[in-house]
Amino acid sequence: MGFRITDFDENTVYLNQAFLDIFGYENADEVKAKPPVITFYTPESYAAFLLRREKLLRGEPREKSVRVDIIRKDGVLRHLLLFSGEVIWNNKKHIQTLSVDITEQNTCRKGVNQK
């Protein structure tokens, strides 16, 4: 499970190796230089992200989990389930996001539905 903590401007303050692996990053510096939302989200997932962000900034409740599609650095399409919420990091509010790659589950479901 990928784990990342950001401030409200999407600046990364912490992440784990699984997060790097899911997106195809080499290291944390690359994440800071090329944020995943801007770099890897498909256009549809990015548009949905902007709507969710607007709600958050207005103080409206946000979904506890969302599905996003990314195109990794190597060009492979992946489907992710993201769980996010607020967390206190260094005495300030931040956003914690857990990323689960559900690509294989999606492939299995499509196969079942097509029979």
Side-chain angles (χ1 to χ4, degrees), residues 4 11-12 17 20 24 32 41 44 49 53 57 60 63 65-66 69 75 77 81 89 93 98-99 105 109:
R4 180 175 176 231
N11 298 307
T12 300
Q17 184 63 46
L20 296 172
K32 292 175 184 175
Y41 277 34
E44 298 82 8
F49 162 79
R53 190 168 194 285
L57 294 175
E60 295 177 23
E63 298 92 351
S65 66
V66 296
D69 297 325
L77 175 67
L81 189 56
W89 184 267
K93 282 187 181 181
L98 305 175
S99 305
Q105 293 172 356
R109 281 192 196 134

Side-chain angles (χ1 to χ4, degrees), residues 13-73:
V13 296
Y14 177 82
L15 54 81
N16 67 358
Q17 184 63 46
F19 180 88
L20 296 172
D21 296 342
I22 287 170
F23 284 87
Y25 284 113
E26 303 276 328
N27 54 53
D29 290 333
E30 190 176 10
V31 176
K32 292 175 184 175
K34 298 178 181 181
V37 171
I38 296 167
T39 307
F40 297 113
Y41 277 34
T42 62
E44 298 82 8
S45 288
Y46 183 68
F49 162 79
L50 292 176
L51 292 174
R52 288 191 308 273
R53 190 168 194 285
E54 286 177 20
K55 285 182 179 180
L56 175 68
L57 294 175
R58 287 194 304 260
E60 295 177 23
R62 62 189 287 158
E63 298 92 351
K64 299 288 184 207
S65 66
V66 296
R67 183 180 165 225
V68 301
D69 297 325
I70 64 167
I71 299 175
R72 288 172 34 110
K73 191 166 86 172

Side-chain angles (χ1 to χ4, degrees), residues 76-109:
V76 174
L77 175 67
R78 307 302 290 179
H79 309 290
L80 307 179
L81 189 56
L82 305 181
F83 300 91
S84 64
E86 288 186 6
V87 64
I88 302 298
W89 184 267
N90 291 333
N91 297 318
K92 294 180 185 174
K93 282 187 181 181
H94 286 72
I95 298 172
Q96 158 184 282
T97 304
L98 305 175
S99 305
V100 180
D101 188 335
I102 59 169
T103 304
E104 298 304 320
Q105 293 172 356
N106 248 15
T107 303
C108 292
R109 281 192 196 134

